[in-house]
Amino acid sequence: MSQLNVHQREAIHYLDGPLLVLAGAGSGKTRVITQKIACLVKECGFAPRRIAAITFTNKAAREMQTRVGKLISGPAAEQLQVSTFHALGARILREEAAAIGYKPRFSIFDATDAFAVIADLAGSVDKVRLRQIQGILSNWKNARVLPEEAARRAMSETEKLAARVYPSYEATLKSYQALDFDDLILRPVMLFMEKPEITEKWQNRFHYLLIDEYQDTNACQYSLLKLLVGIRAQFTAVGDDDQSIYGWRGADIANMGRLAEEFPQLKIIKLEQNYRSTLRILSAANHVIAHNAKLFEKKLWSDRGHGEAVSVTVCPDNEREAQSVVTRLQAHRLTHQGKWSDYAILYRSNHLARLFEQQLRDQRIPYALSGGLSFFDKAEIKDVLAWLRLLANPDDDPAFIRAATTPRRSIGANTLQALGNYAGMRHLSLFHAAREAGLAQHLSPRQLEPLSGFCQFVGRMEQRAQQAEAGAALNELLSGIDYEAHLHAHEEARGAQERWANVGEFSAWLAQKGIAEGKNLIDLTQRIALIGLLDKEGGATPDAVQLSTLHAAKGLEYSHVFLVGVEEGILPHREAVESGKVEEERRLMYVGMTRARQSLAIFYCERRQQNRQWLSVKPSRFIRELGDDDIRFMGGKNQPIPDKAARSARIAALKNMLATGNAAG
């Protein structure tokens, strides 16, 4: 507590009503949340199980749980409810499943599952349009727009098609006993609005709520929070309107102002001391964000010294930009004897990464690329998950189809089509239809035999999954379907080995989780859809340059940041300019700048090659907004970037100088 500043301490101890903490970048917001939880338990007598802390990512939830565990010892820390919005919603719905006409073991469809349903209902193979429909449906759910209202709101042809698909999509999910990610917030809100007694039950369950990254909430999440806190209004919301960068996925910055309107007794505390960046970096960032209209006035400051001047470098083209960034990064690391992981190259869109990857590979510099394929999106993991989903919920038809055909079990397309027709006629799931005696009138004995064997195997494995340890049950399943042989039959030896190794890693992870949490395979399957990436707590962070989009870099920090492609049409993005959303792009620029601790270098080009065409480009308006204080401009037509030979000579000279210095020392 003695290490906290006066405003942090005030935020921690304030309990006289609802509180909004305006936490600027690098101002120690996570420390405030964790210390407040400890204060509620140790000093104010709150039972840990009555406190809920809500975050947006599993990583943030794990970090918060770990940090609180260091402040509160023993079982008390384990009783705290620290989770994402979606995990909390899933917990509510599993407990109240009967009230919404679902079984507690409903399936949670990820984006791929939902896309397949939408594609089938829309009758289209145009993936771009289908993605647009999926995005429209998601935005409607986030804004609490139900099918009837969506039909009235639809304006464009794509929106009208989405409105026609919407009711069928909902009916299909219900028939599968499945919910999509957006339902995990929308359904609890609808339930609480329709069933006051259930609302009161959950309001009494939680006596204090803490909400992290509040500026990223959408309309539905705001409604859920408001319903949970009720008239007691005992909550602390922590956020920063200057870092609201997710409007494209439904986040509503107006929720920041709405708190003050709907909770008149709201107390506002500002955290303006930045513990991350130097004064020159903060000054430039403050100049940029000052061009946005303000919900709340605040200005970050730091006592970390003036630091290096922010540099702005103009390059002739995007290939020279990549060369210049990597050359400067390499030279800086050699001079300062730092680690590769001290450096990050940040950009607006993923397609900008290619040339930087190429340059880093050429120089044999290790790098890590943010994003990419999630562990749970790998084909072999989705195969295994289909089996687990079917064991947990036999009504999950997409899981049934994938499990029945992977590996092949002599159940062909004709068999599945006939089964689907019969299931539709009987209004049953595929699994339950396959077990009805009447199916024999629609399938030949040759078709029935493998289908019957498949269902019997699923039934046996469901029992084992509930009775045995998670790891043992999963190993029995993999052995029973002979999945390793399936991989070797359909892949080259090396590819099969890599995929089987991934399955092994997944099995070991589930086994470890099952033992640590005392849960069986069915219990764990219920949670897997809510886990974004494979947990690897305790794993060492690789010493590598980080390549990341600005959105993915939010919440992270690096000693030295290279912010690239800062041009009109890229940052701000062309579509944002056309749709009047420049302020969110400016916040994105601000987020990128405030990731830097010690140095910030900004780059843009005079021309950029796209699809084999050279386009003249203009520097971003945000560069003009940096202010004139200690900004160092470099490059341009009159200052060519060193060629490859000159760059190599410079790096060699630096290495030689450092080697000589070390020898002399």
Side-chain angles (χ1 to χ4, degrees):
M1 236 4 132
S2 61
Q3 297 176 350
L4 300 169
N5 65 44
V6 62
H7 299 294
Q8 290 174 328
R9 285 197 294 271
E10 183 184 11
I12 288 166
H13 291 290
Y14 185 81
L15 290 172
D16 293 336
L19 171 65
L20 173 61
V21 179
L22 293 171
S27 63
K29 69 178 179 64
T30 305
R31 177 185 290 184
V32 167
I33 294 172
T34 53
Q35 290 277 6
K36 183 151 195 171
I37 293 171
C39 176
L40 289 168
V41 174
K42 291 169 140 182
E43 299 177 26
C44 305
F46 279 75
R49 69 181 185 281
R50 302 296 188 193
I51 301 170
I54 306 171
T55 70
F56 275 83
T57 66
N58 294 299
K59 180 181 177 183
R62 285 198 305 272
E63 180 186 353
M64 195 175 294
Q65 187 86 52
T66 300
R67 290 173 71 163
V68 171
K70 294 176 181 177
L71 301 172
I72 304 172
S73 58
E78 297 173 8
Q79 294 174 26
L80 291 167
Q81 307 298 317
V82 182
S83 70
T84 63
F85 272 98
H86 292 93
L88 175 62
R91 179 185 168 196
I92 293 169
L93 293 175
R94 294 214 188 276
E95 192 166 322
E96 310 296 346
I100 63 167
Y102 273 73
K103 297 181 299 187
R105 280 162 55 175
F106 58 77
S107 295
I108 299 172
F109 274 17
D110 63 15
T112 305
D113 298 321
F115 181 86
V117 174
I118 291 166
D120 185 48
L121 295 172
S124 173
V125 294
D126 184 344
K127 289 188 176 181
V128 173
R129 196 174 195 201
L130 290 170
R131 293 286 181 211
Q132 290 173 340
I133 292 170
Q134 188 171 20
I136 290 167
L137 293 178
S138 178
N139 286 336
W140 277 338
K141 288 191 175 189
N142 289 334
R144 284 177 42 214
V145 176
L146 301 180
E148 287 185 9
E149 187 181 348
R152 293 192 295 271
R153 286 192 182 195
M155 300 293 288
S156 68
E157 285 304 311
T158 305
E159 286 179 342
K160 289 176 182 176
L161 178 55
R164 290 196 294 273
V165 166
Y166 198 175
S168 301
Y169 174 68
E170 293 295 275
T172 303
L173 289 183
K174 183 66 180 289
S175 71
Y176 293 162
Q177 283 286 294
L179 298 172
D180 64 22
F181 261 42
D182 299 314
D183 286 327
L184 299 181
I185 310 297
L186 176 61
R187 292 304 188 96
V189 169
M190 293 170 60
L191 176 64
F192 286 167
M193 294 176 77
E194 294 166 5
K195 306 273 188 181
E197 68 280 7
I198 293 178
T199 311
E200 186 178 356
K201 168 187 168 182
W202 284 90
Q203 287 174 349
N204 290 331
R205 179 81 59 89
F206 301 126
H207 293 173
Y208 204 94
L209 263 67
L210 301 101
I211 307 98
D212 191 17
E213 303 286 8
Y214 177 75
Q215 77 281 349
D216 294 334
T217 55
N218 59 38
C220 216
Q221 288 162 336
Y222 176 75
S223 297
L224 179 60
L225 294 171
K226 191 178 174 187
L227 287 161
L228 276 172
V229 300
I231 58 171
R232 188 185 290 123
Q234 285 283 75
F235 68 85
T236 293
V238 182
D240 181 8
D241 49 322
D242 290 334
Q243 295 188 74
S244 179
I245 59 173
Y246 293 111
W248 51 276
R249 70 180 189 196
D252 187 358
I253 193 173
N255 286 345
M256 299 285 287
R258 201 166 284 135
L259 275 184
E261 295 169 8
E262 300 193 13
F263 296 92
Q265 70 276 40
L266 182 76
K267 169 84 169 176
I268 298 175
I269 296 174
K270 299 178 184 179
L271 303 183
E272 297 173 296
Q273 182 175 358
N274 175 286
Y275 293 91
R276 176 187 302 155
S277 307
T278 63
L279 274 172
R280 285 191 171 108
I281 293 170
L282 286 183
S283 174
N286 284 335
H287 271 98
V288 170
I289 203 63
H291 288 78
N292 271 6
K294 290 287 186 180
L295 277 174
F296 305 97
E297 284 293 337
K298 68 178 185 306
K299 192 170 184 179
L300 295 185
W301 62 276
S302 170
D303 60 5
R304 292 178 56 82
H306 286 281
E308 299 177 23
V310 173
S311 68
V312 177
T313 302
V314 54
C315 300
D317 54 58
N318 43 333
E319 186 170 345
R320 302 277 195 91
E321 178 187 42
Q323 290 174 359
S324 179
V325 167
V326 173
T327 297
R328 194 184 301 181
L329 186 157
Q330 199 173 15
H332 191 281
R333 176 182 171 272
L334 280 167
T335 305
H336 293 80
Q337 294 287 280
K339 297 182 294 185
W340 293 119
S341 56
D342 291 337
Y343 298 85
I345 301 172
L346 308 181
Y347 36 79
R348 173 64 175 81
S349 303
N350 271 313
H351 70 87
L352 297 172
R354 185 181 61 82
L355 287 175
F356 295 96
E357 284 193 81
Q358 185 178 312
Q359 285 294 322
L360 290 166
R361 282 198 302 268
D362 286 349
Q363 296 299 317
R364 297 183 178 179
I365 296 173
Y367 67 90
L369 192 67
S370 71
L373 193 66
S374 160
F375 187 84
F376 287 102
D377 286 333
K378 294 180 185 293
E380 61 274 20
I381 303 303
K382 291 187 81 72
D383 286 344
V384 178
L385 283 175
W387 278 93
L388 299 186
R389 280 168 43 187
L390 185 61
L391 299 184
N393 174 18
D395 292 323
D396 189 334
D397 281 2
F400 179 97
I401 293 169
R402 187 159 188 157
T405 56
T406 312
R408 288 282 177 189
R409 307 177 68 88
S410 302
I411 301 173
N414 291 335
T415 301
L416 289 172
Q417 185 176 355
L419 174 62
N421 291 337
Y422 178 77
M425 182 176 66
R426 295 282 295 140
H427 303 289
L428 296 169
S429 68
L430 294 175
F431 181 80
H432 286 99
R435 304 182 79 175
E436 280 211 337
L439 181 63
Q441 299 174 23
H442 300 266
L443 293 178
S444 69
R446 184 174 57 82
Q447 291 174 306
L448 268 175
E449 185 179 351
L451 195 59
S452 176
F454 171 72
C455 291
Q456 289 171 11
F457 178 73
V458 170
R460 290 196 303 273
M461 284 310 309
E462 182 184 1
Q463 287 186 328
R464 290 295 295 153
Q466 295 189 64
Q467 297 166 357
E469 285 188 351
L474 182 53
N475 286 335
E476 283 184 42
L477 172 66
L478 293 170
S479 176
I481 65 176
D482 206 3
Y483 190 71
E484 185 178 10
H486 161 76
L487 289 175
H488 282 280
H490 291 83
E491 297 270 355
E492 293 182 359
R494 184 175 178 181
Q497 288 168 3
E498 288 178 0
R499 290 181 182 276
W500 182 242
N502 287 335
V503 172
E505 183 178 357
F506 177 61
S507 302
W509 173 76
L510 266 184
Q512 181 183 10
K513 250 220 175 329
I515 293 170
E517 300 180 11
K519 295 185 181 298
N520 63 35
L521 195 56
I522 298 291
D523 296 331
L524 292 173
T525 300
Q526 302 292 304
R527 295 181 49 202
I528 288 173
L530 295 172
I531 301 171
L533 293 169
L534 186 63
D535 287 4
K536 290 186 177 177
E537 294 99 332
T541 303
D543 184 21
V545 175
Q546 182 69 48
L547 269 63
S548 174
T549 63
L550 291 167
H551 284 100
K554 186 171 177 291
L556 303 176
E557 58 183 72
Y558 305 94
S559 294
H560 311 286
V561 167
F562 294 86
L563 184 49
V564 301
V566 186
E567 299 151 20
E568 287 293 308
I570 295 178
L571 183 65
H573 195 276
R574 176 180 52 81
E575 291 178 8
V577 174
E578 292 172 355
S579 58
K581 297 178 179 176
V582 171
E583 289 205 346
E584 179 155 328
E585 294 291 296
R586 186 175 284 112
R587 292 194 290 270
L588 196 56
M589 175 77 175
Y590 175 80
V591 164
M593 295 175 71
T594 53
R595 299 312 91 199
R597 288 193 290 254
Q598 296 173 28
S599 73
L600 172 64
I602 297 169
F603 286 76
Y604 71 92
C605 301
E606 294 173 318
R607 64 175 190 156
R608 183 169 289 274
Q609 188 175 25
Q610 290 184 353
N611 301 322
R612 298 184 179 180
Q613 286 187 319
W614 284 101
L615 305 174
S616 294
V617 292
K618 296 179 180 178
S620 169
R621 66 194 71 189
F622 304 147
I623 289 177
R624 296 194 302 273
E625 296 171 0
L626 289 168
D628 300 322
D629 301 339
D630 298 319
I631 306 296
R632 186 159 48 101
F633 290 89
M634 306 166 65
K637 292 177 181 176
N638 298 322
Q639 187 177 334
I641 304 299
D643 61 23
K644 198 167 186 178
R647 186 169 78 250
S648 298
R650 184 184 176 200
I651 297 298
L654 276 168
K655 287 181 176 177
N656 184 57
M657 178 187 73
L658 287 166
T660 304
N662 289 338

